[in-house]
Amino acid sequence: MAEENTGEIIVAGWMDYEPADRYPMLGHLVEVGRRTREEEPGCLDYAMTADPTDVRRIRVYERWVSQQALDEHFTTAHIKDFRAATTGLTRVGIAMDVFSVGAARSLR
């Protein structure tokens, strides 16, 4: 039986960067991810990973307690720092979706 509406938000998708820019971007994402998980109580998970089959692609997965928590994320100092640090990196594609979680249950 499914649980009641959780109000959680999931952000999932990918970003493509020029191959020479993907690893520098991943380095910045490690730092912003660490700070996000440590400093934002509304963040339940925040993971950006290199796609092993595409030299340009970074996979994105974020889980938030609410839309408000996600909105507040974009106003933090560490996001401002991240954006400034990655200004010169070339993103060549993006597909990102935001999902409102209606119900959740443990897989096991």
Side-chain angles (χ1 to χ4, degrees):
M1 184 165 152
E3 296 174 12
E4 226 175 277
N5 183 334
T6 63
E8 291 180 6
I9 298 294
I10 292 174
V11 177
W14 54 265
M15 301 178 292
D16 284 351
Y17 283 83
E18 289 292 337
D21 288 342
R22 183 176 80 160
Y23 283 105
M25 175 54 83
L26 284 165
H28 292 295
L29 287 167
V30 166
E31 176 62 14
V32 78
R34 180 190 63 75
R35 289 185 65 189
T36 297
R37 288 187 298 275
E38 289 176 1
E39 299 173 19
E40 296 185 58
C43 178
L44 300 172
D45 199 0
Y46 197 88
M48 312 298 172
T49 59
D51 187 315
T53 64
D54 187 331
V55 298
R56 302 169 307 149
R57 187 147 295 172
I58 297 170
R59 297 280 175 188
V60 175
Y61 176 81
E62 303 175 26
R63 189 169 149 234
W64 298 89
V65 297
S66 66
Q67 181 63 51
Q68 180 180 346
L70 176 59
D71 293 343
E72 290 171 2
H73 167 67
F74 293 114
T75 68
T76 62
H78 53 272
I79 288 297
K80 181 179 178 183
D81 294 345
F82 169 77
R83 287 181 175 153
T86 60
T87 298
L89 301 179
T90 304
R91 186 172 67 200
V92 295
I94 186 169
M96 207 82 69
D97 293 304
V98 178
F99 300 90
S100 299
V101 179
R105 63 178 175 79
S106 176
L107 182 60
R108 301 198 186 271

